[in-house]
Amino acid sequence: RVNNGQELVDYFLQENRLLPKLIISDLNMPKKNGLEAVREIRRKSLLSKIPIIIFSDSKSPEEVQLSYDLGVNSFIQKPLSYQEHLQCIKNIHSFWFQTAQLP
């Protein structure tokens, strides 16, 4: 877990880091937004196949399109209620860790 977009990118630049099976990133993060972070992450061949989900308050079709153009695997609008948020996380876990085959 990191606190901002710059920490996300910096984590992947470290030697001997553990690679996650999935990256969930907010679109609006301090220091470096989610799209800037995705752009840098996707440039690294070792990281290019890790699925990335953007979680955002945004409904902007332009941000959704740009996210997919940069290589995200899913763009999810943040649920409004806590219960919807929990269900969304369960759905993400179920799909990416029980249904999909990850590299």
Side-chain angles (χ1 to χ4, degrees), residues 12 94 99:
F12 289 116
S94 175
T99 304

Side-chain angles (χ1 to χ4, degrees), residues 6 12-13 20 26 29 37-38 47 75 77 80 88 93 97 100:
Q6 187 60 56
F12 289 116
L13 296 176
D26 198 328
M29 295 186 290
V38 167
L47 308 173
F75 188 103
Q77 186 178 7
L80 298 176
C88 184
H93 183 272
F97 295 107

Side-chain angles (χ1 to χ4, degrees), residues 38-79:
V38 167
R39 186 178 284 119
E40 290 189 41
I41 289 168
R42 286 296 189 224
R43 286 185 189 148
K44 309 287 183 202
S45 62
L46 187 61
L47 308 173
S48 65
K49 302 297 184 213
I50 297 173
I52 298 175
I53 296 173
I54 292 289
F55 223 46
S56 178
D57 291 326
S58 175
K59 292 182 181 181
S60 163
E62 294 81 17
E63 288 180 324
V64 172
Q65 185 62 53
L66 181 55
S67 296
Y68 283 107
D69 289 347
L70 291 174
V72 302
N73 300 88
S74 185
F75 188 103
I76 299 173
Q77 186 178 7
K78 289 180 184 177

Side-chain angles (χ1 to χ4, degrees), residues 24 53 55 76-79 81-95:
I24 300 175
I53 296 173
F55 223 46
I76 299 173
Q77 186 178 7
K78 289 180 184 177
S81 76
Y82 179 72
Q83 288 302 320
E84 291 172 326
H85 186 83
L86 286 179
Q87 187 59 51
C88 184
I89 297 300
K90 287 178 185 177
N91 291 344
I92 290 169
H93 183 272
S94 175
F95 177 78

